[in-house]
mmCIF file of all heavy atoms in Angstrom:
data_model
loop_
_atom_site.group_PDB
_atom_site.id
_atom_site.type_symbol
_atom_site.label_atom_id
_atom_site.label_comp_id
_atom_site.label_asym_id
_atom_site.label_seq_id
_atom_site.Cartn_x
_atom_site.Cartn_y
_atom_site.Cartn_z
ATOM 1 N N GLY C 16 4.278 -0.384 9.839
ATOM 2 C CA GLY C 16 3.582 -1.469 9.143
ATOM 3 C C GLY C 16 2.381 -1.027 8.337
ATOM 4 O O GLY C 16 2.337 0.071 7.801
ATOM 5 N N SER C 38 4.098 -0.608 14.225
ATOM 6 C CA SER C 38 3.241 0.574 14.346
ATOM 7 C C SER C 38 2.229 0.623 13.203
ATOM 8 O O SER C 38 2.587 0.467 12.035
ATOM 9 C CB SER C 38 4.114 1.834 14.302
ATOM 10 O OG SER C 38 3.294 2.977 14.294
ATOM 11 N N GLN C 42 -5.948 3.393 10.713
ATOM 12 C CA GLN C 42 -7.049 3.662 9.774
ATOM 13 C C GLN C 42 -7.937 2.441 9.568
ATOM 14 O O GLN C 42 -9.074 2.570 9.168
ATOM 15 C CB GLN C 42 -6.473 4.119 8.433
ATOM 16 C CG GLN C 42 -5.855 5.508 8.538
ATOM 17 C CD GLN C 42 -5.146 5.913 7.270
ATOM 18 O OE1 GLN C 42 -5.165 5.213 6.268
ATOM 19 N NE2 GLN C 42 -4.499 7.068 7.320
ATOM 20 N N PHE C 58 2.284 9.578 15.127
ATOM 21 C CA PHE C 58 3.261 9.997 16.128
ATOM 22 C C PHE C 58 3.235 11.505 16.349
ATOM 23 O O PHE C 58 3.858 12.010 17.268
ATOM 24 C CB PHE C 58 4.674 9.604 15.670
ATOM 25 C CG PHE C 58 4.866 8.130 15.510
ATOM 26 C CD1 PHE C 58 4.718 7.526 14.268
ATOM 27 C CD2 PHE C 58 5.181 7.335 16.598
ATOM 28 C CE1 PHE C 58 4.897 6.169 14.112
ATOM 29 C CE2 PHE C 58 5.355 5.966 16.449
ATOM 30 C CZ PHE C 58 5.215 5.381 15.203
ATOM 31 N N GLY C 59 2.560 12.218 15.451
ATOM 32 C CA GLY C 59 2.600 13.675 15.510
ATOM 33 C C GLY C 59 3.751 14.211 14.676
ATOM 34 O O GLY C 59 4.560 15.010 15.166
ATOM 35 N N GLY C 60 3.848 13.731 13.431
ATOM 36 C CA GLY C 60 4.862 14.257 12.510
ATOM 37 C C GLY C 60 6.250 13.713 12.800
ATOM 38 O O GLY C 60 6.442 12.860 13.682
ATOM 39 N N HIS C 81 3.143 0.963 2.908
ATOM 40 C CA HIS C 81 2.751 0.823 1.501
ATOM 41 C C HIS C 81 3.505 1.847 0.643
ATOM 42 O O HIS C 81 3.769 2.964 1.108
ATOM 43 C CB HIS C 81 1.239 1.063 1.421
ATOM 44 C CG HIS C 81 0.631 0.682 0.124
ATOM 45 N ND1 HIS C 81 0.552 1.553 -0.926
ATOM 46 C CD2 HIS C 81 0.079 -0.478 -0.293
ATOM 47 C CE1 HIS C 81 -0.037 0.943 -1.939
ATOM 48 N NE2 HIS C 81 -0.344 -0.289 -1.577
ATOM 49 N N ALA C 84 2.283 5.400 0.803
ATOM 50 C CA ALA C 84 2.197 6.102 2.093
ATOM 51 C C ALA C 84 3.408 7.031 2.200
ATOM 52 O O ALA C 84 4.359 6.772 2.934
ATOM 53 C CB ALA C 84 2.141 5.094 3.240
ATOM 54 N N GLN C 86 3.829 10.205 3.215
ATOM 55 C CA GLN C 86 4.039 11.130 4.332
ATOM 56 C C GLN C 86 4.831 10.469 5.455
ATOM 57 O O GLN C 86 5.832 11.007 5.916
ATOM 58 C CB GLN C 86 2.672 11.563 4.855
ATOM 59 C CG GLN C 86 2.665 12.959 5.424
ATOM 60 C CD GLN C 86 1.226 13.376 5.700
ATOM 61 O OE1 GLN C 86 0.355 13.276 4.833
ATOM 62 N NE2 GLN C 86 0.987 13.817 6.909
ATOM 63 N N ILE C 87 4.362 9.303 5.873
ATOM 64 C CA ILE C 87 5.036 8.635 7.001
ATOM 65 C C ILE C 87 6.461 8.240 6.613
ATOM 66 O O ILE C 87 7.379 8.317 7.443
ATOM 67 C CB ILE C 87 4.213 7.413 7.501
ATOM 68 C CG1 ILE C 87 4.833 6.822 8.765
ATOM 69 C CG2 ILE C 87 4.051 6.355 6.441
ATOM 70 C CD1 ILE C 87 4.716 7.648 9.993
ATOM 71 N N GLN C 90 8.613 11.268 6.900
ATOM 72 C CA GLN C 90 8.813 11.605 8.310
ATOM 73 C C GLN C 90 9.792 10.639 8.980
ATOM 74 O O GLN C 90 10.615 11.049 9.803
ATOM 75 C CB GLN C 90 7.459 11.598 9.042
ATOM 76 C CG GLN C 90 6.597 12.770 8.597
ATOM 77 C CD GLN C 90 5.129 12.694 8.995
ATOM 78 O OE1 GLN C 90 4.340 13.519 8.558
ATOM 79 N NE2 GLN C 90 4.744 11.730 9.785
ATOM 80 N N ARG C 145 -9.212 8.271 -0.114
ATOM 81 C CA ARG C 145 -8.881 9.699 -0.227
ATOM 82 C C ARG C 145 -8.775 10.184 -1.660
ATOM 83 O O ARG C 145 -8.807 11.376 -1.923
ATOM 84 C CB ARG C 145 -7.563 9.982 0.502
ATOM 85 C CG ARG C 145 -7.757 10.103 1.998
ATOM 86 C CD ARG C 145 -6.461 10.324 2.679
ATOM 87 N NE ARG C 145 -5.531 9.237 2.435
ATOM 88 C CZ ARG C 145 -4.309 9.169 2.926
ATOM 89 N NH1 ARG C 145 -3.834 10.143 3.655
ATOM 90 N NH2 ARG C 145 -3.525 8.139 2.669
ATOM 91 N N ARG C 202 -3.401 1.435 -8.495
ATOM 92 C CA ARG C 202 -2.047 1.890 -8.191
ATOM 93 C C ARG C 202 -1.060 0.790 -8.573
ATOM 94 O O ARG C 202 -1.434 -0.365 -8.648
ATOM 95 C CB ARG C 202 -1.936 2.189 -6.705
ATOM 96 C CG ARG C 202 -2.763 3.385 -6.339
ATOM 97 C CD ARG C 202 -2.799 3.555 -4.858
ATOM 98 N NE ARG C 202 -3.377 4.834 -4.534
ATOM 99 C CZ ARG C 202 -3.539 5.289 -3.326
ATOM 100 N NH1 ARG C 202 -3.201 4.556 -2.296
ATOM 101 N NH2 ARG C 202 -4.066 6.477 -3.114
HETATM 102 N N1 NAP B 316 -1.613 4.461 0.921
HETATM 103 C C1 NAP B 316 -2.050 3.258 0.602
HETATM 104 O O1 NAP B 316 -2.480 2.982 -0.518
HETATM 105 C C2 NAP B 316 -2.014 2.142 1.612
HETATM 106 C C3 NAP B 316 -2.398 0.867 1.211
HETATM 107 C C4 NAP B 316 -2.326 -0.181 2.130
HETATM 108 C C5 NAP B 316 -1.882 0.066 3.408
HETATM 109 N N2 NAP B 316 -1.518 1.323 3.787
HETATM 110 C C6 NAP B 316 -1.030 1.544 5.150
HETATM 111 O O2 NAP B 316 -1.914 2.438 5.805
HETATM 112 C C7 NAP B 316 -1.164 3.327 6.624
HETATM 113 C C8 NAP B 316 -1.579 4.754 6.321
HETATM 114 O O3 NAP B 316 -1.338 5.013 4.942
HETATM 115 P P1 NAP B 316 -1.411 6.501 4.391
HETATM 116 O O4 NAP B 316 -1.285 6.453 2.930
HETATM 117 O O5 NAP B 316 -2.536 7.213 5.068
HETATM 118 O O6 NAP B 316 -0.060 7.086 5.021
HETATM 119 P P2 NAP B 316 0.564 8.563 4.939
HETATM 120 O O7 NAP B 316 -0.316 9.439 4.131
HETATM 121 O O8 NAP B 316 1.972 8.421 4.553
HETATM 122 O O9 NAP B 316 0.536 9.003 6.460
HETATM 123 C C9 NAP B 316 -0.442 9.855 7.016
HETATM 124 C C10 NAP B 316 -0.215 9.946 8.507
HETATM 125 O O10 NAP B 316 -0.625 8.724 9.136
HETATM 126 C C11 NAP B 316 0.257 8.375 10.166
HETATM 127 N N3 NAP B 316 0.848 7.072 9.824
HETATM 128 C C12 NAP B 316 0.940 6.490 8.595
HETATM 129 N N4 NAP B 316 1.448 5.264 8.689
HETATM 130 C C13 NAP B 316 1.693 5.052 9.993
HETATM 131 C C14 NAP B 316 2.205 3.960 10.736
HETATM 132 N N5 NAP B 316 2.561 2.806 10.124
HETATM 133 N N6 NAP B 316 2.314 4.088 12.080
HETATM 134 C C15 NAP B 316 1.944 5.227 12.704
HETATM 135 N N7 NAP B 316 1.436 6.291 12.064
HETATM 136 C C16 NAP B 316 1.315 6.204 10.730
HETATM 137 C C17 NAP B 316 1.262 9.497 10.288
HETATM 138 O O11 NAP B 316 0.713 10.394 11.244
HETATM 139 P P3 NAP B 316 1.637 11.372 12.134
HETATM 140 O O12 NAP B 316 2.107 12.434 11.221
HETATM 141 O O13 NAP B 316 0.714 11.839 13.195
HETATM 142 O O14 NAP B 316 2.768 10.554 12.678
HETATM 143 C C18 NAP B 316 1.243 10.084 8.892
HETATM 144 O O15 NAP B 316 1.647 11.424 8.857
HETATM 145 C C19 NAP B 316 0.311 3.066 6.371
HETATM 146 O O16 NAP B 316 0.812 2.442 7.511
HETATM 147 C C20 NAP B 316 0.347 2.180 5.152
HETATM 148 O O17 NAP B 316 1.370 1.210 5.220
HETATM 149 C C21 NAP B 316 -1.584 2.358 2.910
#
Side-chain angles (χ1 to χ4, degrees):
S38 175
Q42 290 174 4
F58 298 95
H81 192 272
Q86 211 171 309
I87 186 70
Q90 290 166 188
R145 280 178 300 180
R202 292 172 169 181

